[in-house]
Amino acid sequence: PLPFRGFSVLFMLNSIQREAQAYDTIYKGRTLVLKVSGAEIDSTDFPMLVDDIRFLTQKGVRIVLAFGGGDQISRRYGKPREKIDGVAVTTPEVLAKGVLPAYVDIRHRLQAALPEGIVVEPKRLQCDLHSDTRFGLVGIPKNIVLPESDLSFVGFVGDAEGQRVNVNADDIAMQIVRQYNEKIEEI
């Protein structure tokens, strides 16, 4: 665990282990931020993750799920994407043919699996464009408006002054922690 303003931050990139059912007492009434990659959503373990999320929310744990979609974006775009320092460049074509369709697909999948969850609309994921213009339409989160909900989803499409942008799920999770740190117990 890493300290974050008095809270313990535990990076959980896969599903929560059900054996650790103490989560239901340790985190009851608290908020847990989960960052999930598109690969994890596509994996055969996705139903277990859904079960774990449902288990925790039923036990009184608030979940904010930040989700990515790198694999799905690449598949939808249909050709290799240019990368700079490991970050994919998002051109208007990549946004239209890869990012937005992948976002809709994943969003629908999450809503079908966990219909009780509320999706944070892209306009509520307010971003600045990346300062390095070579990245194109890549957003850096500056404000995320979360609903009062036991389960919410924040995806990789945000808004930079009316322009849809591709946002890294790690950046989303970190902005949620920065912005809501007094309410977040773990990430």
Side-chain angles (χ1 to χ4, degrees), residues 83-109:
K83 291 190 177 188
I84 300 171
D85 298 328
V87 176
V89 173
T90 303
T91 64
E93 180 182 28
V94 169
L95 186 75
K97 293 181 179 179
V99 174
L100 296 177
Y103 172 79
V104 169
D105 291 347
I106 294 171
R107 178 180 164 148
H108 282 100
R109 184 159 184 203

Side-chain angles (χ1 to χ4, degrees), residues 4-172:
F4 184 82
R5 294 190 187 190
F7 293 97
S8 169
V9 178
L10 175 66
F11 291 93
M12 296 199 264
L13 299 178
N14 292 312
S15 69
I16 297 167
Q17 298 298 315
R18 180 154 289 129
E19 303 89 45
Q21 289 190 358
Y23 277 103
D24 66 340
T25 55
I26 294 172
Y27 298 116
K28 184 174 184 170
R30 299 191 178 175
T31 301
L32 181 67
V33 176
L34 298 176
K35 183 271 180 182
V36 179
S37 71
E40 291 165 321
I41 292 170
D42 271 355
S43 83
T44 57
D45 291 333
F46 180 67
M48 288 188 327
L49 175 62
V50 168
D51 289 345
D52 290 340
I53 290 169
R54 188 168 285 120
F55 171 80
L56 288 170
T57 58
Q58 289 170 349
K59 297 297 183 178
V61 179
R62 181 177 184 218
I63 304 286
V64 179
L65 179 85
F67 66 91
D71 292 349
Q72 291 88 339
I73 293 168
S74 294
R75 272 198 312 274
R76 290 293 243 152
Y77 185 55
K79 52 188 169 185
R81 296 183 292 153
E82 177 187 358
K83 291 190 177 188
I84 300 171
D85 298 328
V87 176
V89 173
T90 303
T91 64
E93 180 182 28
V94 169
L95 186 75
K97 293 181 179 179
V99 174
L100 296 177
Y103 172 79
V104 169
D105 291 347
I106 294 171
R107 178 180 164 148
H108 282 100
R109 184 159 184 203
L110 287 169
Q111 287 176 305
L114 295 159
E116 63 273 25
I118 296 176
V119 175
V120 173
E121 295 297 328
K123 68 182 177 187
R124 295 185 174 274
L125 172 52
Q126 300 157 357
C127 300
D128 288 323
L129 279 174
H130 196 290
S131 60
D132 186 337
T133 58
R134 297 178 303 158
F135 289 105
L137 298 173
V138 170
I140 304 298
K142 65 179 180 180
N143 186 47
I144 302 171
V145 181
L146 293 176
E148 286 298 322
S149 171
D150 292 336
L151 176 60
S152 55
F153 311 119
V154 185
F156 53 90
V157 174
D159 183 276
E161 297 187 24
Q163 170 64 59
R164 292 288 186 247
V165 290
N166 186 9
V167 185
N168 183 288
D170 292 330
D171 293 340
I172 294 169

